[in-house]
Amino acid sequence: MATAVLGQDERPLVAEASLDFLVVEMVDLMHRSPTDTEMDKEAAYFKLENLGYQLGMAMVERITKDRPRFLDNLDVVKFICKDFWIALFKKQIDNLKTNHRGVYVLTDNNFRWFSRMSGDGAGAEISRQAFAHLAFPCGLIRGALGNLGVTTVVIGEVSTIPQCTFQIKIAKP
Amino acid sequence: MESYPLEYVLHHVPLMAVSGLLDTEVLGNNDGMLQEDAGGSLRKSLLSVLMSKNNASIWDAAAKKEAPFFHVTVLDKTHVFPPRRSPRATPAQHSNLSPLNPISPLHPDGIMIPAWIQRHKETRPSVVVGFYDLWERSEAVDSSDPLGAQQTLSLERERDLILCSEVMEKKRNTGERGIKFAIVITLQASRGDDTHVEERLAFIRRTCSLDNKSLFVLLAQNADLQLFVTIMQKSLYEQSANYYRDHDKRIRKKKARLPPISAMRATTSPTSANIPSSTGTPAKPLPPAGWHLRYEFKLGVFAEFRQDVEAAIKHYETTYHLLIELMHAAIGPNSGPPMAQDFLQPFTTRWTEARTLADCVNLKICKLHLYTDRPVPALQQLDKHISACKMFPEFVGRPSTEEQQGVSSGISKLGNLAGGGSFDYWAWVSIQYRVFGELIELATGKIGLRLPFPPPGAISAVNTGTGQAQSFLNTISNTSMNALTGGDMPAAQFTPSSATSPSLVVQHAGYYYFIAASCAEERWKKFRDAEKAITSAPPPPPSAATGARAGHSRIYADIPSSPFSPLMSSTSTHPQSYESSLGSERDVDHATFVIELLTKSYEQFKKHRAGRMTLFLASEIARVYEQSGKYEMALKFFERIGKTYRKEHWPSVLRDVLRSSAQCARTLGRWETVAECLVELLNERMSKPGPDGESERKAVLQELLSVIRGEGSNPSNGIKVIVDMDQLEGFLLCTVQFRKHSTYVGVAAPFQICLKAASSKSPPVAIRISRVQIAFSDSRFDHVFSDSTADGIAKAREVQWVDCTDCSLTTVEEGREVYSKAIDLDFQPGMSKVLEGTVTPGEGMDLKISAVSIVVTAGEGSLILVYKIGERSEDTSTRRKWYSGDGDEAGINRWTMLDGSGEQSVLRVIRKQPNLTIQLNHAPPGLINEEYEVDVEVVNEESEDVEAFLDVEFRSSGADGLDATSYIKQQTNHLESPTLPGNDHNAINLIHLGVIPAHARVSRRFWLKCTENAGERVMYNIVNYRSISRTATSPTSPEKATPATHPEFFFRKNEPVRIPFVAPFNPEFKETVEFGAPFDAGEVGLFSARSQDGKLDMMHLRNIGLKIVCPGPWELEVTEVMFTQAIDETVGVRSVQVAPVTNTSTSNPNGEVWKAGYVHSRVFRVVAAIDPMAEVSQIPLGEVGVRWRRKVPNRNSTSWVETRICLPKLKISHDSVCACIDIPPLIFYTEPFTVTYTLYNLSLATHHLSMNMEVTDGFVFSGYKQTQARLLPLSSMVVTYNCVPIVCGKTTLPKLKISIMGEEADLTKHGPGQEVTDLRVRGGVDSGVGTAGELIAFVRPKNS
Amino acid sequence: MPFDVVCIAVIGKMNNPLYIKNCSSTYQDLKCHYIAHTSIDLVEERISTTKHTDQYLGLLYAMEELAVFGYITNTRVKFIIVTSLQDVAIKDQEMKNLFRKIHNSYVSLVSNPFYNPDSHKPIVSANFERAMAEVTAT
C-alpha cells in the first residue's frame, strides 16, 4: 500500500482486491490469535489499532513531504479528510463536523473496505461484526494525526454498512 | 566602551553657550527688587530647561524625532573669547594641542588626542546666546503729563543704549571667533503686542544690527519655557551648523595646502611637503599623511557636530583607512608608503594613541551605521577593523608559543595569525566584540533595531557579492525598518533567487558577547601558555614591569585600569613590554571576566527566550568555574543544567555534564555525588558506541565500586549512596506488575518485579546484586531477596524467571519481619530478571508497591538504587505484560499481554463477606412467665474458618426497648460467655463463638422470660465475624482482636426475630353474696363467727367462683394449683376465712395436662368478721398459684414455673340497713306464697323506713301497698306479703321498695329517702336479684 | 557547493536527537550536539513568530564561525545543517535542496517497518548513513 500512496507516476499497480483481502484477513487473524487476557476482543482491537497507528505514522511522513506546514489543528484534520483519505481510498471524507472544542466527526458514506461486505442477520449484528474492521482505520487516523503533532483518541462507529463515522477527540495537552 | 576616552566615544552635539543667566549678574543691573527676584527665578528655570538635554545621548534624539539639540554651557556675562590667532603664526601661537606647539603633548608628531575634542565639546560654543532684560518703568506712564512721558522716554532710550552697547561688545567678540551670536530679551512686565515696546525692540535690533533670526523676545508672564527653548534652538540650529561648516571650510583649506595622498605615496621625502615645520625640535615633525589624518578626523568630528551623519561616516571611514594604512606601513617590512616609517613605531606612546584612535573611530563608524539603521555595514566595519589590526606586532603571539596548539575551534578564523595571537590580541578582540555587543544592545533598546537582520530569506541572490551587498543592504534595511515598525516579523519568503550570507547577518548582542567571552578565554589560555614558556626563563626585572605600568597610567590617568584596557603592553620598548604586559596580566582575574561576558550573553539570550542556548552558556560558565578552581559553583551550575538534557534525551551532552560534575565532585570529595553521576554514566547511551565506549563504561563501573568501597574518602570505610533511579537515565530499569487489579482477602495475589538492562551491553560486566528490597505501602508485606551466591552464569539467558513465591518470614532488626528468600541475583549484561512473588493480604486495603531498591555492596559500602514506583506517573502507551514461565527449560516462557496498560503497582484487596447464616429454633408464641427457649445457630458456609462473636438482645417492642419484667439468660455451662452486666438483663454481648471451622455450625441456647405484659418482643441476634486464614498476612495479634476493639476487621450480620408473648391462663371470677343475718352466726352454720370477747361482729359471707382458662396454643403440664390466703392486718378486720368449697386440690407431682381451652374452676367461701365501727372498704383475700410448664414431648428438662392469679379483693359495704329476702324455693302457678323481708338496722341510729310495693304484672299480691315503719338501732323487723303468680317461667317478683327517711320531725314531708340496696336473697333456683336490682323468681306450672 | 557542511542533525518531535553527524575535523562531537540542541530554540521561535508555511526555515543563527540552517517537517521533525561561516551568500535554494535530500531519506527510513518513530532511540540505519554521506559529499 505504501507504494500505492506515493503519488508517484512510476508506481507499480496493485490490485485493489488483494489489499481488501489483506485487510479482511488481518482482522480475522487478529481475532483468532489467542491472547492471555480476559478480554480477547479488546486485545485484538488493540493490536489492529496499533498496526494502523504505525502505518499511519509512516504514511503521513510521506504524504506531507511536499506540503506547506500546517498552521492549526483544523488544517491537519482537513488534510486527513482530503489528501490522506484520497491516498488511502481514492475518495474524500464525505462530511466533517466539529464542535470547535477539539472534537471532529468524519463521515464516510461509502467506506471502501465495507463496500464489498454484506452480512446476514439484523443490522445491529452486522454493524457489530463490521466494527472489528474499524480498528485498523482508526489506528491509521490516530497515527497520522499523532505524527502531525495532534495526539487524539479516534473512535469508529458503523450504523449501516458501508457508511461509517470516525470521531476524533483531540487530547488536551 | 567605557574603557576608551569618553571624548572619542561620546556623540558630539553642537555646543551652545548662554550668558546672563547666572544670578551673580543679577546684582549688576539695579532694577526694582520685585523684578529682580522674579527675573532670578525665571533665569533659574530657563537654565534648567536648557541644561536638561545635556546628558541625553544620540539614541534619545533618534528615538523622539525632534530637532537636533544643543549641548549647553553657561558663560559668565563678562566672558571674553580669546582672539583667533592669525594664520601664519609662530609656533608659540599655535594652539597648545597642535603638534606644532612645543608644549602640547602631541609635539612633535602626535596625531590626535581626546583633549582636542574635549575643547570643542566644552569651550568652543557654536552659538552664544545672551539673555538681557529690557528695562521697564515700574510705574504706569500718564499721557496727561507730557513732561513725565518725555522724561521716561529719554530714560528708556538711555537704558536701551547701554544694553545695545553691551550686546555690540559681545557680538564683536564672538564675531571675530566666527561664533554665532543671538540675544534673548526678556520682558518682565509689558505685553508683546505693546507697540511702544516693539518700537524699542526694533531700535535695539537696528542699533546692534542683529537680524530678526538672532533676537528673541521672552515674555516673562505666561511663558512656556520649554516651547520657547525648543523654538529658539530650532532657529539657531542652522547658524550653529554654519559655524561648524566654517570650521569645515577652514580645515579643508588647510588640507588643500597639503600634498594629496596619492602624491605622498609617490614621494619619498617627508620634508618636501610644505607643511608647517616646527623649529628647534630635534624630533621628526608630523608627516603630511599624519596631517591628512588629523584633518580628516577633524572634518568627521565637525560633521558629527552638525549632525551630518552621512558626511561624518564618510570622513571617519577615510580617517580610519588612512590610520590603518599608516600603521601597516609602520610595521610592514619596508613595503607600503615609506613616508611613515620614521614615525608611529610600534611600542611607542604614539602607536598606542593611534590604536586607541583607530578603535574609537571604528566604534564611531559602527555606532553611526547602527544609528542610521544600517547594522550590516556596522558589522562589516567590525570585521574590517579586526582583520586590519590583526598583524600588529604586539598582537602576534610569541614565537616561543608557536608550538602551542592553535586557538580553540570556535574562533579559529579570528586566530589565524602567527602564534595564534598574543593574549594582548585576544584581550583586544574581546573588547571589540564586547563593545559591538554593547552598541547592538543600545540600538535594539533605544531605536528598536530588529534582529536578526536581514530577516531570513531577504537577500536576493542577484547581488550577494560582499562589496555591493552593503549598499544594497542599506536600501533594504531602510525599507524593512519601515515595515518593521508594524511590529510583527514579516513572513520570510524564500524565493528561488533568495540567498543568505551568514557572515553578514547581524544578530542580537548575546552572540557578540559570547564571542567576546571565548576570546577572553583564549586570552587566558595564551597567557597560561606564556607563563609556561616564561617559567623556564628568569623572572622579569620588576622595575620594568612596574615602571611600565606607571608609565601608561601616567598618560591616561582618566582611564579605568580595566584589564581590557587596550593600552597596556605598549608603553615601553619591546622586550620589556612583553614582560610588563605579562606582569600586568598576572594580576588579571581572567575567569571573572570570561564569566562576566558569558553572563551578559546569558542575559541577552534569556531576554530572547532561548532557553537551550542559556543552558549551553550555563554549561560554559560552569566549565570556566571549573577551570578557575571554583568547583562549588561549577557543580551548582552543572546540577542545574543536567535536567533538561536528561528530559529531552541528549545523552551525549548529558554525558559531558555528568563527567564534568563528577570531576568537580571528586575534587571536592563529595563522593555521593560522584557515585550518582557514575551510575548514570553507566547507561550505554552515555558512552560513545563501540568497544571504546564499552571499556569506558567498564572503567566507570570500576571507579563506582571503588568509590562505594570508600577509597578516596580518607577514613577508608565504605560509604552508603542512595540513588533515585527514576530521576536519571539508569542502566538498569525496573518495572512492577500485579497480575490482577484486585484480589480477595486471604487470596494469594502474584506480582512480578522485572529488572531489565537498559541496553544489551549494560551493565558492562556482570554484577552481583546483593539484595533486592521491595517496599509495600504496608510494611508488613515487605520482601527482601538476598543473593544466594550460586553462580548464575550457567543459566544466564536473556530473560530469567525467578520464583520467589515461597518466601519465609524472617525478622530483621527489632521485631520487624519481612518475607525473604535467597535467590540468584547475578545480573548479566543485557539480561532481564523477572522475580515473581505473591502476597496474600489478610484484610481489605489498597496494597501498593511503593519502591524497589537494589542494593549492590562493595566492601563495607553499599550502593542503593531506588526505584520510586509509587511516585511514577501513569503511562498509557505500553500494554501490561506478564512473563509466564517456570524456571525449567521445558515450560513455555513468554511474555503475555494483560489487560490494561502501564504498570499495575496497586492491588485492591477486597474483603469478601464470608457466607455465614444465623438460624433460630424456637416455638412462638412464648408464654408469660415461662423460660422461652431459643436456640441460635451460626452456620459457617465458607471453605475457610471464621471467628465469630455473638451479641443477643431481648427487647420489648416498646420505645426504649428496656423493660424490667423481661430478661434473657444463657446456658451457663459455656464458661467463655462473659457474665452479663447487671444493669442490662436484656442483652448479652461478645459471646465468643470461637473459630468456626469451614462448613461447621455453632449453636447457643438462650432463655427469654417476661413476667408481665403479654405482647410482642424482639430478639436481636448480631454476629460479628471474620474469616481466619492461616496463610494470609493478617493484622498484628489477631487472636486478641474483638469487635469491640477492632471493629474494622469484622463483618456484622444481624438476624432480628419478633416473638409474641401471651399469658398462659385467663382467670375469670364470679362473686355472690350469701343469705344470712349480719350478726347471727347461727345460720352460718359451718363455724362460729362469734369471737371470744363477745364483741359484736359484722359478718360478710361471700362465695367466689374462679375459672382458669388456658388460651393455648400450647398444652401445659400443671403440678399444682394452690391457694394461699393473704395475710391482712387491716384494723377492724377481726377474722377472715377463705375456704375452698370444692376440695379438688390438684397436687400430683407429674401433673396433669391442661389442653388449650381447658377450664379449671374453683369456689371459695369467704367469711369475714368485721368491727362494725371500723371503716373497712375492702379486704385482700389471696392468690392462687399455678405451677406449670409447657408440655414438650419427650423432654421434661424444662423447669417448672409458677403463675400467680390474684383473687379479687372483698368489697365491704357500709349500708345502715340491709334486707334479707326469703323467697320460697318452689313457686307454682296460681299457688300463693309468701315472701319474707327481714330488715336489719345495722347502724346505731333509729331509721324511719317507708316501704311501698312495686307491682309487677306477673303476680298479684296482698298486703299493704305502702307502709312505714320505725327501726331501732341494731334491731330487726320482718315484713311479709303474699303473692300469687299468674304467669309461668322466670318473672320478676313485686319488689318492696324500702327507703330510709329522715327523723320523725320531718316525717310529714315525703322526700325520696335513701333506698336500701343491701339485699341478700335466699330462694330457689333461678331466684335472686337481677341486674337492675329487681327480684327474680321462677314460676313452675302447677303439678297435677 | 560554495560552503562545506560541518554538521547534520536530525531532531525528533520531542526535541530528542535522532541523528547527529559531525563532518568536520576541527569541531568535536559534543560541540555539534550543543549546536543542534541550541538550534531548537531558534526553530521554535521561527515557527511561532513567522506565519510562513515553508518547511525550510533559512538561517537560524550564525555563531562564532558557524552558520546554522533549519528545516522542520510537518511531523515536527527538525533537520539542522551547520555550515562553516564564509563571506559568501548561500542560496536558499541550494540549502533547501540539501534539506530535501535529508527529508527524503528520512521518509524512507520511517517507512521501514522495523523503525519505530515513537521510540526516542537514535537512528541506526545503513541506508540513512549512506544518504547523509551523499548529502555532505555534494
Side-chain angles (χ1 to χ4, degrees), chain B residues 172-230:
Chain B
R172 213 188 61 259
N173 172 252
T174 55
E176 66 192 18
R177 297 284 319 196
I179 301 173
K180 308 303 174 198
F181 183 71
I183 65 171
V184 175
I185 294 183
T186 52
L187 300 181
Q188 295 295 351
S190 47
R191 315 280 79 59
D193 50 12
D194 184 340
T195 55
H196 177 64
V197 174
E198 278 183 353
E199 283 170 13
R200 291 178 61 190
L201 292 173
F203 167 77
I204 294 172
R205 188 163 65 232
R206 259 184 277 103
T207 39
C208 308
S209 67
L210 291 162
D211 57 355
N212 52 3
K213 278 181 61 193
S214 47
L215 181 141
F216 302 89
V217 179
L218 171 60
L219 302 177
Q221 287 87 353
N222 57 45
D224 179 350
L225 296 180
Q226 187 63 57
L227 182 64
F228 175 77
V229 168
T230 322

Side-chain angles (χ1 to χ4, degrees), chain C residues 28-65:
Chain C
Q28 50 192 357
D29 297 359
L30 177 61
K31 180 73 178 170
C32 294
H33 284 82
Y34 266 122
I35 292 172
H37 188 248
T38 48
S39 59
I40 297 174
D41 286 333
L42 280 298
V43 172
E44 283 176 351
E45 187 195 348
R46 272 301 150 78
I47 60 178
S48 66
T49 56
T50 67
K51 282 272 158 288
H52 84 290
T53 60
D54 196 336
Q55 300 186 340
Y56 173 62
L57 298 176
L59 176 75
L60 295 178
Y61 69 95
M63 188 140 166
E64 294 175 319
E65 284 149 5

Side-chain angles (χ1 to χ4, degrees), chain B residues 234-249:
Chain B
K234 255 206 186 70
S235 51
L236 284 179
Y237 176 66
E238 193 44 45
Q239 304 199 24
S240 75
N242 289 335
Y243 167 81
Y244 290 114
R245 269 193 210 89
D246 298 348
H247 273 290
D248 225 56
K249 292 202 197 69

